[in-house]
Amino acid sequence: MKKDKQIKLALKNCGSIDPEKIENYIAVDGYKALGTCLGEKGSSEIIDVIKASGLRGRGGGGFPTGEKWEMASKFVADQKYVICNADEGDPGAFMDRSILEGDPHVVLEAMAICGYSIGATEGYIYIRAEYPLAIKRLKMAIDQAKEAGLLGINILGSGFDFDIRLKYGAGAFVCGEETALIASMEGKRGTPVIKPPYPVECGYKGKPTIVNNVETYANIPVIINKGAEWFSSIGTSGSKGTKVFALAGKVKNVGLVEVPMGTTLRELIYDIGGGIINGKKFKAVQSGGPSGGCLTEKHLDTPIDYESLKECGSMMGSGGMIVMDEDDCMVAVAQFYLDFSVEESCGKCVPCREGNHVLYQILNKITHGKGELKDLDKLKAISEVVKSTSLCGLGQTSPNPVLSTLTNFYDEYYDHVVNKKCVSKQCRALVEYKIIEDNCIGCTACKRVCPAEAITGEVKGKHVIDPELCIKCGACIEKCKFNAIIVE
Amino acid sequence: MTCNKNKNMINKLTDICNEFNNDPDDLIGILHKAQGEFGYLPKEVQIIIAELIKIPSSKIYGVVTFYSYFTMKAKGKYPISVCMGTACYVKGAEKVLKEFEDKLKIKNGETTPDGKFSMSSLRCVGACGLAPVVSIGEKIYGSVKVEEVEKILSEY
């Protein structure tokens, strides 16, 4: 994997220090930023640095972190809370898990800095129960930091107290939304509430609360140590610093990459990812998980930043980046994401609960060869309604995979509904299995394996598949040694 | 027999709830521990917890059914989970899942009649570099191919 296009800030210690030893973290300037803050800086000074750095939330929305902290600091309350959102539910993304497993102290340090700047003494990390190693390392790190006087009562003799506890998620994607996350932390069903009031004013237990994502926190200590100017020199005008992506799918080098904002999709997929596997043709790249869109070849030179991705109909999201090749059917991909959103919709508001379901049904109809041209207009109209009327971020973005594939791959949808063809040969109802007469030697292997008895022919004679009986299971193709069976 | 079993259950749940100071705010933590202890969260367990932390059992039922991690059905001795995250999906997880279903003759979400295996799909284990991923109990299998399913099952 090429290293030169990458800059590691959030991942800088991952893999290079022993995450189970606090000494290792301290040796690479760990807890130095916390020391600087407690010893030399007032809370407003820290907030000014974070604001000047231009850091924006890495969980997907991209809200300016410094502004969020400033708002929370201005509300007067007897208690405030600092929460780390480690409920990484986006399928295909594992950036936060890697940071928590590889460098847990960076998150603790940043949360303590946040607590000091907004006036909070309690922090919580809301983490997925599916991440046992990250949980183990976080617990270990908290114990070590307390023992070293870097968490707990009177940190570094400054008089500032800050404690961190873990709370577990239980497998609900919607809990990545901050108000749903807070409901879940209070032992309730994870359903979101209308904003405003925002959590910075009325959050956990009704108190001012900061909710930031793991990767956002991982950027804080390095900003304090190296300064806002240095940080804001990396990236583009509106998006500063770096972003970690989980590159996966049909690409040669899969794994985590951290690139400066403004890197193009092409650099990410071809220079770092090494291009498409098995010499296939690139078809689409999906960023932002179930909330994002599928971008095509013509978007490959788009710089990766919050605004540019949004303009093309996708979004930054938390960092999932799935590459697809010519074998992936875009209608089926949209259906896959809708299935996810239907399953994960909390059911509180009607547009998301019912609208996504209807979208899924229509897509299902299309992939099963029963679609009509007017269904495409319906898909678009319903998507727009769900987007504009849903209560929270889940419903407001869940139609994105449909809208982006409709825009970028309209021909493919058209082929499905009008010509009843699936060019990627993924939609079973739309393909036909055929035997090429010239290649068939009459070995009867296919006839014997066919579970539907759809193949007829004598030994050493030409065989034929009856399309009425064929269930398109593919068993015959696997058995044929003469490449005599094709899918059309 | 039933009475003893129930008493044992109450004792264990009392310990668990005490660990969390019987705080309803920590309901999810309590349910995690209880499921770790009993393997699933049947009606009786929910009613006992409701009495201990003094909230309606309907509220607990609401929470248990909301989160996919909690289950009211007993799982098999070897719970099989096929990851259906995007990376696994594009690398053929659907076919792997189907092969498990065919070989075990059960559907996703069910348990074999002898209680040995149960099948489920999960969203993403965050090991996308190993797609498609299957986990059986604590063991993880990466880059699973349809042809390997039979061999994997024969290990148990």
Side-chain angles (χ1 to χ4, degrees):
Chain A
M1 195 175 285
K2 270 194 192 174
K3 291 257 160 45
D4 49 340
K5 299 238 177 201
Q6 297 196 56
I7 298 182
K8 301 215 167 178
L9 303 182
L11 294 176
K12 71 180 162 48
N13 296 329
C14 288
S16 64
I17 63 166
D18 182 345
E20 300 192 354
K21 294 204 174 84
I22 191 171
E23 297 81 8
N24 274 228
Y25 181 63
I26 292 172
V28 290
D29 287 345
Y31 289 104
K32 185 178 155 200
L34 179 63
T36 316
C37 290
L38 296 181
E40 303 162 19
K41 289 191 191 323
S43 66
S44 60
E45 227 177 305
I46 300 167
I47 291 171
D48 285 343
V49 173
I50 304 299
K51 270 171 79 178
S53 74
L55 177 66
R56 295 170 66 174
R58 299 292 194 245
F63 191 83
T65 308
E67 276 178 42
K68 203 187 241 185
W69 290 19
E70 189 173 43
M71 284 189 258
S73 75
K74 285 188 175 153
F75 286 105
V76 183
D78 54 350
Q79 179 57 281
K80 295 179 184 177
Y81 296 99
V82 174
I83 294 175
C84 172
N85 181 350
D87 189 47
E88 188 173 44
D90 184 351
F94 51 102
M95 300 75 51
D96 296 348
R97 177 176 65 86
S98 298
I99 294 171
L100 294 168
E101 286 177 2
D103 196 12
H105 284 285
V106 75
V107 177
L108 306 185
E109 182 181 7
M111 287 175 73
I113 293 171
C114 177
Y116 176 69
S117 13
I118 67 160
T121 58
E122 282 184 42
Y124 288 92
I125 300 175
Y126 182 87
I127 183 166
R128 295 183 76 189
E130 289 92 334
Y131 285 177
L133 182 62
I135 291 172
K136 181 185 145 211
R137 295 210 166 136
L138 276 172
K139 280 184 178 165
M140 220 180 237
I142 292 171
D143 288 343
Q144 290 170 353
K146 277 188 187 166
E147 206 167 294
L150 296 161
L151 273 185
I153 308 284
N154 192 14
I155 297 172
L156 297 169
S158 65
F160 170 63
D161 305 337
F162 194 74
D163 199 4
I164 295 177
R165 279 183 63 194
L166 301 185
K167 285 249 186 186
Y168 304 120
F173 176 68
V174 70
C175 289
E177 201 279 340
E178 53 186 2
T179 60
L181 183 149
I182 289 168
S184 177
M185 279 181 56
E186 293 169 345
K188 299 176 193 152
R189 289 164 72 94
T191 50
V193 293
I194 290 175
K195 294 189 273 191
Y198 290 92
V200 286
E201 183 183 354
C202 176
Y204 184 52
K205 295 183 181 173
K207 306 289 182 192
T209 303
I210 285 286
V211 183
N212 277 147
N213 157 275
V214 174
E215 193 186 332
T216 314
Y217 283 124
N219 279 292
I220 301 289
V222 71
I223 293 174
I224 303 283
N225 286 335
K226 296 199 174 179
E229 208 171 297
W230 169 83
F231 186 81
S232 62
S233 70
I234 305 164
T236 64
S237 63
S239 307
K240 303 297 185 192
T242 60
K243 178 77 194 88
V244 183
F245 289 100
L247 198 56
K250 308 279 180 65
V251 72
K252 275 185 194 142
N253 306 323
V254 292
L256 286 190
V257 294
E258 183 170 357
V259 290
M261 297 277 188
T263 303
T264 64
L265 287 166
R266 187 185 300 280
E267 288 173 299
L268 191 65
I269 296 165
Y270 287 92
D271 297 346
I272 299 171
I276 310 299
I277 44 170
N278 301 330
K280 297 267 181 171
K281 202 167 164 288
F282 168 84
K283 187 170 195 175
V285 56
Q286 213 279 354
S287 71
S291 317
C294 286
L295 301 180
T296 70
E297 187 120 40
K298 69 172 193 271
H299 299 109
L300 277 179
D301 293 308
T302 307
I304 299 168
D305 61 48
Y306 293 96
E307 276 71 31
S308 307
L309 287 177
K310 212 166 182 178
E311 265 167 42
C312 324
S314 186
M315 69 182 278
M316 180 73 88
S318 60
M321 188 68 77
I322 312 271
V323 179
M324 297 171 197
D325 68 10
E326 53 190 311
D327 291 339
D328 292 307
C329 166
M330 299 323 282
V331 186
V333 164
Q335 189 189 350
F336 168 81
Y337 280 111
L338 255 293
D339 178 37
F340 180 90
S341 298
V342 167
E343 207 41 34
E344 294 296 339
S345 169
C346 77
K348 184 172 177 174
C349 74
V350 179
C352 176
R353 183 183 68 227
E354 303 297 332
N356 281 321
H357 188 69
V358 175
L359 288 175
Y360 176 81
Q361 294 295 341
I362 298 175
L363 289 168
N364 198 39
K365 197 175 145 194
I366 296 174
T367 54
H368 282 81
K370 297 185 180 120
E372 302 159 75
L373 200 51
K374 66 176 186 210
D375 285 333
L376 303 187
D377 297 330
K378 258 196 222 165
L379 276 179
K380 189 153 189 284
I382 297 170
S383 293
E384 301 289 356
V385 172
V386 174
K387 249 177 104 97
S388 55
T389 57
S390 287
L391 175 62
C392 82
L394 197 156
Q396 287 159 11
T397 57
S398 60
N400 282 347
V402 183
L403 287 172
S404 65
T405 46
L406 258 179
T407 312
N408 296 327
F409 298 94
Y410 187 81
D411 292 350
E412 222 167 290
Y413 276 88
Y414 189 86
D415 255 0
H416 277 73
V417 295
V418 177
N419 304 327
K420 306 289 174 199
K421 283 265 174 253
C422 172
V423 285
S424 321
K425 294 165 188 157
Q426 288 296 307
C427 299
R428 239 191 231 187
L430 299 173
V431 299
E432 203 171 300
Y433 283 73
K434 279 189 182 153
I435 294 177
I436 307 171
E437 262 191 39
D438 291 348
N439 290 5
C440 179
I441 62 150
C443 70
T444 75
C446 59
K447 185 178 160 186
R448 278 177 282 135
V449 77
C450 178
E453 297 181 356
I455 304 178
T456 48
E458 296 303 317
V459 182
K460 290 186 180 163
K462 303 294 174 201
H463 283 55
V464 195
I465 300 176
D466 181 347
E468 294 293 316
L469 294 176
C470 176
I471 56 164
K472 296 155 188 175
C473 66
C476 51
I477 285 203
E478 275 165 39
K479 273 280 176 279
C480 181
K481 291 185 183 132
F482 306 97
N483 295 326
I485 303 176
I486 51 160
V487 189
E488 271 185 356
Chain B
M1 177 68 192
T2 327
C3 194
N4 268 343
K5 192 184 146 205
N6 229 339
K7 223 176 193 173
N8 187 20
M9 194 182 260
I10 294 174
N11 286 340
K12 282 201 170 131
L13 288 171
T14 309
D15 289 346
I16 290 171
C17 291
N18 278 338
E19 233 180 276
F20 290 94
N21 300 321
N22 296 305
D23 185 354
D25 256 20
D26 276 319
L27 177 60
I28 289 170
I30 293 169
L31 292 174
H32 270 299
K33 279 252 159 131
Q35 183 162 301
E37 183 69 43
F38 304 112
Y40 65 123
L41 299 166
K43 205 165 112 190
E44 308 87 77
V45 168
Q46 296 178 33
I47 292 172
I48 297 168
I49 295 175
E51 280 169 13
L52 288 167
I53 62 172
K54 298 187 177 59
I55 58 170
S57 56
S58 58
K59 206 196 135 186
I60 299 193
Y61 177 77
V63 170
V64 169
T65 50
F66 183 85
Y67 295 96
S68 63
Y69 202 82
F70 298 133
T71 169
M72 286 178 63
K73 275 194 215 153
K75 283 198 173 159
K77 188 175 173 205
Y78 303 107
I80 303 171
S81 299
V82 180
C83 180
M84 291 293 269
T86 321
C88 290
Y89 174 80
V90 298
K91 291 236 175 137
E94 216 177 0
K95 287 183 186 132
V96 172
L97 176 72
K98 179 137 193 319
E99 183 71 9
F100 272 107
E101 288 180 335
D102 290 351
K103 284 273 172 316
L104 294 171
K105 299 195 175 62
I106 52 170
K107 287 256 169 288
N108 190 7
E110 294 177 349
T111 306
T112 51
D114 60 1
K116 193 173 176 191
F117 293 106
S118 56
M119 278 295 315
S120 65
S121 58
L122 46 82
R123 281 310 178 195
C124 182
V125 287
C128 311
L130 298 174
V133 176
V134 173
S135 71
I136 301 184
E138 302 272 292
K139 197 166 173 194
I140 302 283
Y141 297 85
S143 312
V144 177
K145 294 186 186 72
V146 172
E147 308 85 69
E148 292 168 2
V149 168
E150 194 157 13
K151 202 180 131 258
I152 292 172
L153 284 174
S154 69
E155 290 174 27
Y156 295 87

